[in-house]
Amino acid sequence: MRRTLLLVLLLAIPMMVFAGGDAEKAAPVKQIRVADQVPGLITPGVWDGQVFSMNSSIYEYLMEINAETGELDPVLATSWETDAGKVWTFKLREGVKFHNGSDFTAEDVKFTLERTQDPDLGHLKKSDFEVMESVRVVDDYTVEVTLKEARPTFVYQLTDYSMAILSSEYDYDSYGETKPMGTGPFMMSQLVPKESALLEKNPNYWAEGLPKVDQIAIYFVGDIDASISMLESDRVDVVPFITPEIKQRLDGVDGISVISPYQEQRFISMRVDEPPFDDNRVRLAFKYAMDPEIIARSTAKMELGDGVFYNETPIMNALAEYKELPLRKRNIAKAKELLAEAGYPDGLSTELYYASDHPFGKELSQTVKELAAEAGFDIELKGYTRDVYLSQYWLNVPISITGWGGRIDPSMLLALAFKGGGPWNESHLDEPVLNDLIEKISGEADPDQRMAYYHELQEWFYENGPLINVQVPYLVAINDRVVGYRQPITMLPQYKYMDIL
């Protein structure tokens, strides 16, 4: 009864939230409606990676990944060049205005970059941008960034969703969470925290002919079934993060399609700074208990290698930096032997935490539990909605399953999640050899040598690492009236190019 009442209330949201005036007399507008996840913090630099549809429409970046070619396209920067990766010069677009009417200039880029080092902010890219020695405003539309040492792929760091360009004149500390403001194609018109947001077309947007629609209406819905019911009843047009079961259900529904813009990752991570996973024999035992083919079939209803991929490193199989290592064959006898050597002859008990409302979370956690049980791991599953999981449990649990987006340059992920002191280091790794490899990868100008370091890093993870990387398709359900859907591997949907018929 409670679930039914929740569904009824959620279905009523689109009719109530944005009402204003006489609907019959209102001018017709082109509006794309999105059912997205409930956000935590939303200010760039600290937001937790939810509601991409909102932030990617309000804010902009110096450059973006072309969803069709994978190349870098200019946005707020029109060009960039480097002197061997140590000095970077960015030419900026003129005539761009922030939503509050102020001009976009080099001062805003300087502010955004230096903001990463604010000790009171806890910026997610702090460690990656510690390499900056100085940011110099050459003129109103030229910025020069000097690094302490060469970073040949530094430009890709600027495509990370945390690196939206902010105004140096706006008080984001006071208003970033309630009145987000950038240079993007859409402006915040109405925000009801944890419930909804209405974005209006930016009338002063610098790109002629964009955006193509007048509004984006976003409904924050924590229940995926409620989101799909809204889609089926034509109350929303886009639902991201759907599951394979929902895809199968929608495959037979006229007027709705399911697309997969890219692969994303599910990291099964073991915490290494406390028992039992501080012992590599326990980590190896856990990995020997897994069966990649069973995981693919039971989690995603797909065959391994056909939409689902599996490895024991942070590098996605589809990336050029990936090194193919032999899949570890399931070996229960070996797993039990390793546990006994580590001091657990009768097995051990532990807890696995995951986001229950995130696609593949329930299926993957249950499969891991069942596979590990035969080797002697008694795992208690702890599932919470993604907002609760990320805010209360993640980073402080024995085993976690977390959804991770890919990075166009994998070095962007390494310092964030696997280097000692990294802000999203869920395994609590702080291995000198690994830290050194991450530094070498970031600073190596020679592509062949950098590739060799990537391969060495993956070999280390295979033998010592606390990670299983299950790669699954990112699935989006859309009304067939929405055309031109674009979303590159940066996870930022590009609604400015989309239209609705």
Side-chain angles (χ1 to χ4, degrees), residues 9-10 13-14 16-18 34-39 51 54 190-198 217-222 230:
L9 290 172
L10 288 168
I13 287 175
M16 297 187 297
V17 173
F18 303 130
V34 185
D36 213 335
Q37 297 176 319
V38 180
V51 288
M54 184 174 76
Q190 181 179 346
L191 176 62
V192 181
K194 307 294 184 180
E195 292 186 11
S196 62
L198 178 64
I218 305 171
Y219 307 99
F220 306 140
V221 185
M230 293 166 72

Side-chain angles (χ1 to χ4, degrees), residues 60-66 71-81 88-93 154-160 163 165 490 492 494 496:
E60 287 189 298
Y61 300 76
L62 291 181
M63 63 284 298
E64 66 184 13
I65 303 297
N66 187 301
E71 300 296 323
L72 284 176
D73 283 345
V75 183
L76 293 179
T78 56
S79 66
W80 48 90
E81 60 184 18
W88 291 80
T89 303
F90 299 88
K91 294 292 185 180
L92 307 180
R93 191 175 301 279
F154 175 75
V155 67
Y156 288 104
Q157 296 284 357
L158 299 168
T159 68
D160 187 276
M163 292 308 299
I165 300 300
T490 52
L492 298 168
Q494 299 166 342
K496 63 184 177 183

Side-chain angles (χ1 to χ4, degrees), residues 353-366:
Y353 289 72
Y354 67 98
S356 58
D357 60 342
H358 204 48
F360 307 99
K362 290 180 180 179
E363 298 86 354
L364 181 55
S365 61
Q366 186 63 40

